[in-house]
Amino acid sequence: MSNITLSVSALLLDMDGTLVCSTGDVEKVWRLWCQHHQLAPEPVLAMCHGMRSREVIRALAPQLDMAQEVALLDELEIHHTGRGEAIIGGRAVLASVPAGRWALVTSASQRVARHRLASAGLPLPALLVGAEDVIKGKPDPEPYLLAAARLGVAPADCLVFEDAPAGIESALRAGSTVVQVGGNRRLDPAVAAVIQDWRQVKVGDGAGGALQVTLLT
């Protein structure tokens, strides 16, 4: 196992599949939604991971009322998902990062994100960029550009942790360095490293007030 050490100003973290083991819950909710509308689930499940519900609806069921369907999906998320499980090592890493030096950047709504973090026993970040905070969701770079701006740092000085193709593309287009969480192969050749869980991440103090992030790859 070799190490990669990076000096960054802030960490920007996705939630589903990155901090919380929630792939099954996400698919359960979308299957319920498809059943409600008598839609085939396969196209939805192929697209939904890492993307806002409104992008999925716009692409696959544009005839439906957007606001009504987004609200319905949020209700399904809250009432039909179980207790979340944090990905191994995540709590320890978050505890080692100063509160103002990391943000959550998720395609979930603020309400769902707070519910899922609480159910997994993870702390709420000082900054949470959710689905309703941006005009364009992942894979557009807007979510990560907004998070960096609100933290007062350059996107190029941020290290992003992502698990899904849409999120990885969003972060790369924002100009950030990206670490992929999970998977046996790089989803994009520009990804700096692939880790399986947060035990492979160590965060300490770097030179000039930077965060020193060591990846055990």
Side-chain angles (χ1 to χ4, degrees):
M1 183 174 286
S2 60
N3 295 351
I4 297 173
T5 300
L6 302 167
S7 180
V8 300
S9 296
L11 305 184
L12 305 180
L13 313 178
D14 176 50
M15 180 180 66
D16 292 316
T18 298
L19 279 175
V20 183
C21 297
S22 50
T23 300
D25 281 346
V26 169
E27 293 192 353
K28 176 182 179 181
V29 164
W30 279 107
R31 285 183 185 278
L32 287 168
W33 182 81
C34 289
Q35 184 178 10
H36 176 76
H37 289 293
Q38 297 183 320
L39 296 172
E42 290 78 14
V44 174
L45 297 179
M47 183 180 183
C48 68
H49 294 290
M51 296 183 68
R52 297 190 305 175
S53 56
R54 64 185 61 245
E55 268 83 38
V56 179
I57 295 165
R58 187 177 293 120
L60 300 178
Q63 73 279 9
L64 299 177
D65 181 273
M66 181 66 72
Q68 182 176 316
E69 298 309 317
V70 169
L72 172 60
L73 282 159
D74 270 10
E75 288 301 316
L76 291 173
E77 288 271 14
I78 297 296
H79 296 293
H80 291 279
T81 57
R83 179 172 177 80
E85 180 181 348
I87 290 179
I88 298 172
R91 293 187 188 92
V93 169
L94 294 182
S96 70
V97 183
R101 305 294 293 278
W102 72 279
L104 193 75
V105 184
T106 176
S107 294
S109 68
Q110 288 267 348
R111 180 187 178 204
V112 168
R114 293 172 186 275
H115 168 77
R116 189 158 283 157
L117 289 174
S119 72
L122 291 168
L124 281 174
L127 173 62
L128 197 169
V129 174
E132 60 269 66
D133 298 308
V134 295
I135 297 172
K136 296 181 179 179
K138 303 171 186 178
D140 192 272
E142 183 183 351
Y144 284 108
L145 292 174
L146 178 61
R150 288 185 174 176
L151 287 178
V153 298
D157 294 328
C158 295
L159 182 61
V160 173
F161 288 84
E162 267 282 1
D163 74 304
I168 290 171
E169 181 180 342
S170 173
L172 290 172
R173 289 172 63 189
S176 300
T177 301
V178 181
V179 175
Q180 178 183 320
V181 181
N184 298 318
R185 60 177 181 83
R186 278 173 164 77
L187 296 174
D188 190 294
V191 165
V194 179
I195 63 169
Q196 296 307 310
D197 62 55
W198 290 91
R199 291 173 295 183
Q200 293 174 250
V201 181
K202 306 295 179 186
V203 181
D205 296 328
L211 299 174
Q212 181 172 293
V213 182
T214 300
L215 307 170
L216 309 176
T217 60

